[in-house]
Amino acid sequence: MNINKPLQTGQSWAVVTFGFLALSLAFSARAALGLVMPVWQAEFGWSSSYISSVGAATLVVMAVVAPIAGRLVDSHGPRFVLNFGLGLVGIGCGLVAIMDGKILFTVGFAGFAAIGFGFVANHVVATAVAKSVEARSGLATGIATSGSTGGQFLVVPMIAALLAINSWRWSFAALSLASFLLVPCIMALLHNSARRTQQASQNSTGVSRLGADLKCVVGRPAFHALFWSFALCGFTTTGVIETHLLPFASFCGFPPLPSATAYGLLSAVNLVGMVGAGWLTDRINRPVLLAMIYLLRGLSFWYLASLPGSSIETLFLFAVFFGAVDYSTVPVTASLVASHVGLRVMGLAMGLISAGHAIGGAAGAFLGGYLFDYAGDYDLLWLGSLWLALVAGLIVLFLRENPSRLAPA
């Protein structure tokens, strides 16, 4: 059986649908940490540094798990990986819902849930879509992975409503229940796709060894270009904007509610940006498209530096501008991995690349705080992010468009 053979149309778009839903739940559970942080500070007397350190430990666990999850997609298909991850997210959120101290919170969120987040991740869904959708695969990847940001726009307000009506425990209990309820749906509707993916992987690789596949992936120059550009992507998005945009808005004197609304708008535009980038992936030169996304992102940091002294409307304009080029790198990068590294080992390659993204994000979060403490403002952070985004764009320009899009690994 050819591993590049697409699945039936219904099964293919089931992967897209359930990938979107799974990412919506997982990323919303991650976002709930920041949402509930002030409540825990008041109720338990926990410091923000302690809660943030648990969040940082969660990112480290996710970086370690990412290649493992990607490898399992290659060998067992999306049904197994998504269900395993959702089960762990459900257990972790359930433990947080009943916790009354630091130990159970840490085990639940930075343990069970963190491993689950590593399995229910963009690289897992992008790999599953690439292996199951042939026609319009870029658009399909953009729609599926947009659950990572667009889903939050829908789910996080519901979590906030439960928090306001009842308590934070009900919020995490609802996330736990939703994760468990999605498992039987995936078990039933992705059964054939998982079996076919696994059979294709086994028939095409024989007794494949991890060491040989790692050598195959790392031996491709395209992998290094995509790895380092995506690491810089993580620095300028997860690390810099997701961590420091709201503190910067406060530094500029903007009130908390309008600033949070602008951040929500950014997440909504993110969905449109990912779907649009996926649509363009199927139609134009992909390295040039990815380079343009990084170039526009760099320009957005130049615009951000002009915010101090401006009106709140300027922050909303930045949210629209940056949202369009934030997660839009995901479908393009996934498509390039499929064609330049190979579908057979795409999960492993995307897992390694996603680990680099997480490491870049951690570096951006840390250096952003350090530079602010050093300089007393965010100018150095925005200038550095501008240049790093431009470097990422230059790196991917060394890639060539591959018309086959199905290069063997």
Side-chain angles (χ1 to χ4, degrees):
M1 183 181 292
N2 185 353
I3 191 172
N4 298 332
K5 182 179 179 180
L7 303 175
Q8 297 175 358
T9 302
Q11 285 290 319
S12 300
W13 287 96
V15 174
V16 174
T17 301
F18 286 109
F20 179 95
L21 293 175
L23 289 175
S24 298
L25 283 175
F27 275 74
S28 296
R30 289 170 54 185
L33 182 68
L35 189 66
V36 184
M37 185 184 296
V39 180
W40 287 338
Q41 289 174 322
E43 182 174 337
F44 296 111
W46 292 348
S47 66
S48 59
S49 61
Y50 163 68
I51 301 174
S52 299
S53 67
V54 173
T58 301
L59 288 174
V60 173
V61 172
M62 289 170 57
V64 173
V65 168
I68 300 172
R71 176 68 172 177
L72 288 173
V73 176
D74 292 333
S75 60
H76 290 76
R79 185 189 70 164
F80 171 80
V81 176
L82 290 178
N83 279 341
F84 183 73
L86 285 169
L88 290 174
V89 171
I91 293 172
C93 289
L95 290 175
V96 173
I98 64 173
M99 66 90 179
D100 57 1
K102 291 184 177 181
I103 295 178
L104 200 58
F105 167 58
T106 303
V107 171
F109 200 86
F112 285 100
I115 298 173
F117 297 151
F119 277 80
V120 186
N122 273 326
H123 71 282
V124 170
V125 172
T127 301
V129 172
K131 291 189 176 187
S132 51
V133 179
E134 184 176 78
R136 297 178 295 169
S137 61
L139 176 61
T141 302
I143 293 172
T145 55
S146 68
S148 60
T149 178
Q152 295 182 64
F153 189 69
L154 302 173
V155 179
V156 171
M158 290 189 284
I159 298 174
L162 283 173
L163 177 64
I165 296 172
N166 291 294
S167 73
W168 59 267
R169 296 186 187 275
W170 283 97
S171 299
F172 279 94
L175 287 168
S176 176
L177 179 61
S179 299
F180 285 129
L181 289 177
L182 194 55
V183 170
C185 299
I186 294 176
M187 285 287 289
L189 298 177
L190 293 191
H191 178 74
N192 290 333
S193 66
R195 183 173 66 246
R196 291 185 183 188
T197 304
Q198 184 176 7
Q199 290 173 347
S201 179
Q202 291 171 346
N203 292 340
S204 64
T205 64
V207 186
S208 178
R209 294 179 303 166
L210 176 60
D213 287 346
L214 277 171
K215 183 178 180 180
C216 171
V217 170
V218 177
R220 290 188 176 273
F223 167 78
H224 295 279
L226 294 169
F227 177 89
W228 291 109
S229 62
F230 213 54
L232 296 177
C233 175
F235 184 101
T236 55
T237 55
T238 303
V240 170
I241 294 300
E242 292 183 16
T243 305
H244 297 288
L245 179 61
L246 290 179
F248 173 66
S250 177
F251 174 78
C252 294
F254 299 140
L257 183 57
S259 299
T261 304
Y263 191 83
L265 176 63
L266 189 154
S267 297
V269 176
N270 239 326
L271 185 150
V272 178
M274 293 181 77
V275 175
W279 183 81
L280 290 173
T281 296
D282 298 326
R283 288 164 172 78
I284 66 176
N285 185 290
R286 293 169 295 163
V288 172
L289 172 61
L290 190 55
M292 288 300 299
I293 291 172
Y294 284 125
L295 171 62
L296 292 174
R297 184 184 295 177
L299 292 177
S300 72
F301 285 109
W302 173 79
Y303 177 80
L304 191 61
S306 66
L307 273 180
S310 302
S311 64
I312 188 66
E313 288 77 13
T314 309
L315 181 63
F316 279 84
L317 289 175
F318 169 79
V320 174
F321 189 8
F322 190 86
V325 293
D326 188 0
Y327 279 31
S328 56
T329 57
V330 174
V332 193
T333 300
S335 178
L336 287 167
V337 171
S339 61
H340 288 63
V341 181
L343 276 175
R344 182 177 67 80
V345 290
M346 181 180 175
L348 177 62
M350 284 294 294
L352 293 169
I353 290 171
S354 295
H357 189 278
I359 294 171
F366 171 78
L367 287 176
Y370 175 81
L371 290 174
F372 179 78
D373 290 340
Y374 172 78
D377 56 40
Y378 287 93
D379 290 348
L380 285 176
L381 181 61
W382 305 147
L383 179 62
S385 298
L386 185 157
W387 284 107
L388 289 178
L390 296 181
V391 168
L394 288 175
I395 290 173
V396 298
L397 278 179
F398 285 100
L399 295 172
R400 294 182 178 181
E401 177 65 45
N402 188 340
S404 72
R405 303 210 175 188
L406 295 174

